[in-house]
Amino acid sequence: MGYLQMCCITMTALLLVVVLAVVSGHGDFFTNHWAVRITGGHRQADRIAAKYGYMNFGQIGSLEDHYHFHHSRVVRRAAFSLKGPHSFIHMDPEVEWAQQQVVKLRVKRYAQSDPSFTYFNDPKWSNMWYIHCNDKNSRCHSEMNILAAWQRGYTGKNVVVTILDDGIERNHPDLAQNYDHLASYDVNGNDHDPTPRYDSRNENIHGTRCAGEVAAVANNSHCTVGIAYNAHIGGIRMLDGDVTDLVEAKSLGIRPDYIDIYSASWGPKDDGKTVDGPGLLTKQALEQGIKKGRKGLGSIFVWASGNGGLQGDHCSCDGYTSSIYTISISSTTENGNKPWYLEVCSSIIATTYSSGEFNERNIVTTDLRHICTDGHTGTSVSAPIVAGIIALALEANLLLTWRDVQHLLVKTSRPVHLKADDWKTNAAGLRVSHLYGFGLVDAEALVLEALTWRTVPPQHTCSRITIKQGQPSVTTSGCSEEPDQHVDHLEHVVVKVLIVHPRRGDMEINLISPSGTRSQLLAKRLFDSSNEGFRNWEFMTVHFWGERAEGIWTLEIVDLPSKQRNLKEWTLILYGTSQNPYQPHSVQHSRSRMLEIPEEILEEPELEEEDEYNGERLSQLKYQNNHVPFSNLKD
Ligand SMILES: *[C@@H]1O[C@H](CO)[C@@H](O)[C@H](O)[C@H]1NC(C)=O
Ligand SMILES: [Ca+2]
Ligand SMILES: [Ca+2]
Ligand SMILES: [Ca+2]
């Protein structure tokens, strides 16, 4: 009898569960909070709460007889109302009404989300916390807003992405449908099939893992969902053999009018003592790509910033990731912590989630031999995520240039909860860090901005300012004589140095802009004992993005206590536009700008006092803009 009764109650409870699940719909998650209506006052409510194992948190606002009950034994954010003694509260005759509270799937700035859309039948979907961040399994603080971008209809359709790596398994069941042989090539094998070489050690898993992040097929009951799950995906097999300048150059130049985005998750050794970058051919291939690729709009090269964190490596010593033509991407952990592998440097533009500590979740993706994995880690994860997100933006606006894409990332990425001790606001009001660039990418913001984006004005370059030894401070008229070199609003800033030093790793180099923003171009590297110094090495920083170019630029080298550095020569190379890229036709702006010039330029700026770095100002130069481009504008 007792058993029977128990059985029936359980069945009733189960029924309730089903009803609740249906009412709540997909996309809603049960919490351990209940709203309960009980007459008879607080003490009665307390008594009933205790009877079923709840805490009574008191009356709900001004609602008489309504109480907030909390049950600590329910798993937070369960997908279904959980069974257990506490659920019997619904059947207590003294309880007039009870409702377990559900959390709505929060999708920012999207009014009519169709909850069923957020559900895919791919078995690893529930593990993709970085896509449905505020979901039942996810407690991350900030979203990359990928789901929201999808819900606006952007999934990478007609955009072509390729992975420069050790090949891709093109017949992987989660890739085959999106695989595009025209976006693929095998540079190692000199054929058109980029299928990886299989061996017992599974050496060549990397490319297939990157590919799945970008474009694994959605809702096919297999494995995962790619970030641009309707994009074309190809692979360029080039890492499984001798990697030469030629191999790299060839790879970066495969079908530049067909392939939109090249994703590269590799680079020179991250051993903390290497200084290496693209060779002659590869440099040309990158330049050719941004000039001629995508029928003149420019190829998009996305690059992982490097995994040498433990070796104290600094990504400014990696010429691929610090090139102005590549988009350098860093990683953060689920909790916004600095991952152990992270490399710091000033050329990083933005950041995605990736793997972290043992208690933090990983990224899931496709793997060699038709399987899935959550073993894909490091900044290798981050470049493909951004490649996928850029594919969404290109679907929204196919006319974005290579520089538009960088501007969009600068503008839409956010520091949110990413922890770094060096977040600062530059003079253009942009928050930026050497760990994370402009912060966590925001796919939805990116597609929204892309939709209404106006192509930025032409890029100008000013690179004639060279300081010779013994000339620590020079005033120059900059590049004003030639209008097509006039730089006013900054994008990238490059410093090329010739420095002799008995121990390269002892040096820290900083650049201070006319607005007073300080960017660290190089940090000390413990393992770098080379005596080769820097021979015309180019450091790049994006930290002055949007700032004005005019004024005194200061280079600072700290190598205490040895002070053995010998700066032979340095060149400041400014990239940017003559017009404000965000208000290209504002007459108002040109007026105020003309008023500013005499003051900023003619006044000798004060030097700051000796700073906290105990550094020595080695060299300063003044970039003066006499060019007044708006003088002929009619009001
Ligand atoms: C995924 O597939 C299922 C059928 O397996 C379908 O009911 C659902 O609507 C699909 N989801 C999306 C977002 O297309
Ligand atoms: Ca092949
Ligand atoms: Ca899938
Ligand atoms: Ca590195």
Side-chain angles (χ1 to χ4, degrees):
M1 177 69 188
Y3 172 77
L4 250 180
Q5 211 164 16
M6 199 53 213
C7 152
C8 292
I9 287 169
T10 309
M11 278 187 61
T12 319
L14 274 174
L15 263 176
L16 252 177
V17 167
V18 171
V19 168
L20 279 171
V22 169
V23 168
S24 74
H26 298 287
D28 300 345
F29 306 105
F30 290 94
T31 67
N32 40 10
H33 298 269
W34 268 256
V36 186
R37 188 164 70 220
I38 296 165
T39 48
H42 277 262
R43 301 190 65 179
Q44 174 75 340
D46 284 343
R47 197 181 58 75
I48 291 169
K51 184 170 164 191
Y52 296 101
Y54 290 85
M55 285 274 292
N56 179 9
F57 280 10
Q59 187 174 305
I60 301 173
S62 55
L63 298 178
E64 252 179 37
D65 298 332
H66 287 75
Y67 297 90
H68 176 183
F69 282 11
H70 179 258
H71 199 289
S72 57
R73 278 175 42 211
V74 177
V75 181
R76 275 196 76 226
R77 294 199 167 178
F80 297 98
S81 173
L82 290 179
K83 293 168 275 181
H86 64 274
S87 56
F88 297 161
I89 193 170
H90 294 275
M91 281 157 279
D92 194 307
E94 293 184 273
V95 173
E96 294 181 15
W97 172 87
Q99 186 185 58
Q100 186 174 5
Q101 298 302 294
V102 293
V103 177
K104 299 278 177 203
L105 183 73
R106 279 188 279 144
V107 181
K108 283 187 196 167
R109 286 166 283 162
Y110 189 77
Q112 296 126 18
S113 77
D114 170 12
S116 63
F117 183 89
T118 64
Y119 277 88
F120 289 119
N121 58 26
D122 309 79
K124 298 292 177 195
W125 168 251
S126 62
N127 299 36
M128 303 186 80
W129 56 274
Y130 44 97
I131 288 181
H132 43 89
C133 204
N134 290 325
D135 205 332
K136 62 186 182 226
N137 300 313
S138 303
R139 294 160 301 278
C140 46
H141 311 264
S142 305
E143 287 248 37
M144 299 195 284
N145 286 322
I146 291 162
L147 190 62
W150 292 346
Q151 288 176 319
R152 290 183 179 274
Y154 301 101
T155 55
K157 284 183 292 292
N158 301 321
V159 180
V160 183
V161 185
T162 198
I163 307 293
L164 300 160
D165 215 296
D166 54 18
I168 85 170
E169 189 170 85
R170 59 183 172 80
N171 60 359
H172 191 293
D174 221 15
L175 293 173
Q177 191 186 312
N178 288 335
Y179 176 75
D180 185 346
H181 73 277
L182 292 176
S184 303
Y185 194 75
D186 181 352
V187 177
N188 294 137
N190 232 332
D191 60 53
H192 290 269
D193 182 356
T195 298
R197 179 176 54 87
Y198 293 87
D199 63 1
S200 56
R201 287 164 52 210
N202 280 336
E203 264 179 66
N204 300 304
I205 51 179
H206 200 245
T208 302
R209 292 177 168 194
C210 293
E213 292 183 73
V214 177
V217 177
N219 220 27
N220 62 346
S221 303
H222 197 90
C223 209
T224 69
V225 181
I227 293 194
Y229 58 80
N230 282 320
H232 297 243
I233 186 76
I236 294 169
R237 180 168 174 259
M238 43 79 67
L239 283 187
D240 190 20
D242 291 335
V243 184
T244 61
D245 190 21
L246 191 145
V247 164
E248 292 177 1
K250 204 167 165 184
S251 305
L252 288 165
I254 302 271
R255 287 187 187 256
D257 279 343
Y258 186 74
I259 296 169
D260 297 303
I261 304 166
Y262 300 76
S263 180
S265 291
W266 47 268
K269 260 188 142 168
D270 291 325
D271 55 8
K273 53 187 178 191
T274 300
V275 174
D276 196 7
L280 229 93
L281 298 171
T282 306
K283 267 189 183 150
Q284 283 175 37
L286 285 169
E287 242 178 83
Q288 197 74 1
I290 60 96
K291 282 190 183 138
K292 303 241 174 84
R294 292 174 64 232
K295 303 191 169 74
L297 296 169
S299 305
I300 314 292
F301 300 110
V302 186
W303 225 276
S305 59
N307 292 344
L310 272 192
Q311 288 73 40
D313 202 9
H314 197 267
C315 41
S316 63
C317 296
D318 170 343
Y320 297 85
T321 198
S322 67
S323 161
I324 71 164
Y325 304 130
T326 62
I327 295 171
S328 178
I329 302 299
S330 181
S331 304
T332 190
T333 75
E334 176 180 8
N335 294 319
N337 292 322
K338 176 184 177 179
W340 58 266
Y341 50 82
L342 182 143
E343 287 186 38
V344 170
C345 72
S346 54
S347 61
I348 293 166
I349 286 203
T351 299
T352 77
Y353 285 116
S354 183
S355 55
E357 300 294 325
F358 66 94
N359 59 342
E360 292 176 301
R361 283 171 290 177
N362 284 351
I363 271 51
V364 286
T365 185
T366 50
D367 202 3
L368 204 64
R369 303 182 195 275
H370 298 195
I371 58 173
C372 326
T373 180
D374 69 350
H376 190 39
T377 58
T379 55
S380 279
V381 163
S382 294
I385 288 181
V386 169
I389 287 175
I390 293 172
L392 307 182
L394 288 187
E395 185 188 356
N397 183 351
L398 260 175
L399 295 178
L400 296 175
T401 67
W402 68 278
R403 280 170 55 242
D404 288 334
V405 170
Q406 295 202 22
H407 272 274
L408 283 166
L409 284 167
V410 168
K411 206 170 174 198
T412 60
S413 301
R414 311 139 300 153
V416 288
H417 68 296
L418 309 193
K419 293 171 203 124
D421 54 13
D422 75 330
W423 282 112
K424 63 172 178 284
T425 306
N426 77 7
L430 296 166
R431 298 251 289 150
V432 64
S433 150
H434 292 86
L435 276 66
Y436 298 128
F438 296 92
L440 193 69
V441 289
D442 182 337
E444 189 193 23
L446 199 72
V447 296
L448 288 181
E449 283 282 349
L451 281 172
T452 57
W453 190 255
R454 293 175 62 171
T455 301
V456 291
Q459 180 203 48
H460 291 186
T461 310
C462 172
S463 61
R464 302 190 294 115
I465 307 161
T466 303
I467 310 301
K468 298 280 183 208
Q469 195 174 12
Q471 271 184 285
S473 177
V474 166
T475 305
T476 168
S477 62
C479 307
S480 54
E481 302 93 68
E482 291 152 70
D484 66 342
Q485 286 193 17
H486 170 82
V487 176
D488 193 6
H489 297 266
L490 291 169
E491 292 170 0
H492 313 85
V493 174
V494 169
V495 168
K496 191 158 124 185
V497 293
L498 179 56
I499 308 178
V500 176
H501 199 286
R503 194 178 190 283
R504 190 169 58 195
D506 282 352
M507 282 186 284
E508 175 188 331
I509 305 179
N510 299 302
L511 181 68
I512 299 145
S513 74
S515 307
T517 306
R518 174 194 296 268
S519 179
Q520 185 186 60
L521 303 181
L522 176 70
K524 289 194 195 322
R525 293 197 303 168
L526 191 65
F527 298 144
D528 182 5
S529 53
S530 162
N531 61 6
E532 288 178 24
F534 288 104
R535 295 182 187 169
N536 292 320
W537 185 253
E538 294 188 354
F539 294 100
M540 193 273 271
T541 173
V542 294
H543 285 221
F544 309 121
W545 202 281
E547 288 193 351
R548 308 299 287 269
E550 301 98 336
I552 302 247
W553 289 87
T554 306
L555 188 73
E556 201 182 67
I557 304 178
V558 188
D559 66 336
L560 296 173
S562 62
K563 278 203 177 182
Q564 285 179 291
R565 43 107 189 91
N566 182 355
L567 175 67
K568 297 255 184 209
E569 193 175 299
W570 72 286
T571 307
L572 180 70
I573 307 165
L574 305 173
Y575 295 89
T577 55
S578 61
Q579 297 161 293
N580 182 337
Y582 308 128
Q583 303 162 280
H585 302 304
S586 164
V587 175
Q588 203 85 30
H589 174 73
S590 69
R591 275 211 193 106
S592 65
R593 197 172 148 279
M594 285 163 68
L595 285 175
E596 278 171 33
I597 288 171
E599 288 163 16
E600 282 191 10
I601 292 302
L602 301 178
E603 210 176 281
E604 198 60 42
E606 290 169 41
L607 289 184
E608 285 171 42
E609 276 114 67
E610 205 57 9
D611 50 74
E612 69 269 29
Y613 284 81
N614 283 321
E616 188 184 341
R617 258 53 184 279
L618 272 180
S619 202
Q620 296 193 322
L621 59 85
K622 188 168 182 175
Y623 173 47
Q624 186 173 341
N625 254 324
N626 296 325
H627 185 68
V628 185
F630 292 101
S631 56
N632 294 330
L633 270 185
K634 290 190 207 113
D635 281 356

